[in-house]
Amino acid sequence: MELRLYDTLTKEKRTFVPLDANNVRMYVCGPTVYDFAHIGNARPVIVFDVLFRLLRHLYGEAHVKYVRNITDVDDKINDRAARDFPGLPLNEAIREVTEQTGRQFHADVDALGALRPSVEPRATEHIGEMREIIEMLVAGGFAYVAEDHVLFSPQAMNAANSTPAALRRAVQSLAGRDGRRCPRRCRALQEGQHRLRAVEAVQARRAVVAVAGRHRRAGAPGLAHRVLGHGLEASRRAL
């Protein structure tokens, strides 16, 4: 049986060929656990549950790994933690909120009949790896610092996509396969010297990839979860 999936990069259906048929991996953005799940949260759960089951059917249950993160970093989580657990230190209060809402999410997912992922990493347990990836994106010219945030550059990625060799080099750089290492603390992240033109800033924000560089004022819209939960769906570590 041949599995064909729609490729958003090439805008066409392509035959799915795993890098390793004995170790087929899929990574899906998971919930931001600050409140009950809503109907929109159920859609990706069901869609990727179907894909997970299909891959297991094709390659065998033991050869498919499904990773879905739990995004437990978000301004809304902080706000609710401070509201619901005022007597606890913030980090402890945050854990209380995310543990509770995480259980609610799993109960809802179980009620839908969806399979549990193979692994569910918490964002807060992989901040170091996220920083490394962000630093590599900045160093490679695919992201930049502005207004205390790190923003993804769609122009740079589009340019790389237009040249297969350039795209291959970019992927290899992010995967660490060519031996290059980004400094542990990228100077651009520390100094924030980059500046953007207004149009570039708007286009970058439309890419919906941003990470908060410092704590924002209370009540401000959350940005950190965009990169921790949606933007950086990759890791140099083997899944």
Side-chain angles (χ1 to χ4, degrees), residues 26 32 37 57 59 145 173:
M26 56 182 287
T32 302
H57 172 72
Y59 298 99
V145 179
S173 176

Side-chain angles (χ1 to χ4, degrees), residues 1-219:
M1 176 181 173
E2 182 181 82
L3 175 60
R4 291 172 59 82
L5 300 174
Y6 182 74
D7 186 337
T8 57
L9 179 61
T10 61
K11 305 294 191 298
E12 62 183 5
K13 288 184 179 180
R14 301 177 61 187
T15 300
F16 174 73
V17 180
L19 296 174
D20 181 358
N22 290 317
N23 186 20
V24 181
R25 293 155 288 173
M26 56 182 287
Y27 192 110
V28 177
C29 175
T32 302
V33 284
Y34 67 90
D35 209 335
F36 284 104
H38 54 73
I39 188 94
N41 299 130
R43 182 184 180 279
V45 168
I46 294 172
V47 168
F48 290 107
D49 179 67
V50 172
L51 179 58
F52 184 36
R53 291 171 186 268
L54 178 57
L55 291 173
R56 284 167 32 127
H57 172 72
L58 293 175
Y59 298 99
E61 292 185 16
H63 302 294
V64 180
K65 181 170 289 187
Y66 174 16
V67 179
R68 183 179 65 205
N69 69 284
I70 294 178
T71 304
D72 53 353
V73 176
D74 187 83
D75 292 342
K76 293 179 180 178
I77 295 175
N78 297 350
D79 292 343
R80 181 174 175 185
R83 182 195 70 197
D84 292 358
F85 302 97
L88 292 178
L90 182 58
N91 285 343
E92 293 182 23
I94 288 172
R95 193 72 179 192
E96 289 286 342
V97 170
T98 58
E99 290 283 359
Q100 175 184 334
T101 52
R103 288 193 296 270
Q104 293 167 348
F105 173 78
H106 284 128
D108 291 337
V109 169
D110 292 343
L112 291 173
L115 298 174
R116 292 284 183 98
S118 311
V119 185
E120 284 189 291
R122 284 178 167 268
T124 52
E125 296 172 354
H126 297 275
I127 298 297
E129 293 96 318
M130 294 176 192
R131 285 180 59 91
E132 276 196 53
I133 295 174
I134 293 170
E135 291 169 359
M136 294 174 72
L137 287 168
V138 173
F142 294 100
Y144 46 81
V145 179
E147 300 176 5
D148 298 326
H149 303 295
V150 180
L151 302 174
F152 183 70
S153 173
Q155 297 96 329
M157 184 56 72
N158 288 339
N161 289 342
S162 65
T163 308
L167 178 59
R168 184 166 58 253
R169 288 194 299 270
V171 172
Q172 289 175 339
S173 176
L174 289 177
R177 294 176 184 173
D178 58 359
R180 289 182 293 176
R181 296 285 296 176
C182 176
R184 187 66 181 175
R185 296 180 60 84
C186 182
R187 181 174 299 177
L189 286 175
Q190 293 176 341
E191 299 176 0
Q193 295 298 317
H194 298 282
R195 293 295 180 265
L196 299 175
R197 294 191 299 274
V199 173
E200 290 176 330
V202 171
Q203 291 174 332
R205 281 180 173 81
R206 286 176 180 169
V208 198
V209 181
V211 60
R214 62 180 64 171
H215 292 295
R216 306 186 71 197
R217 65 185 184 281

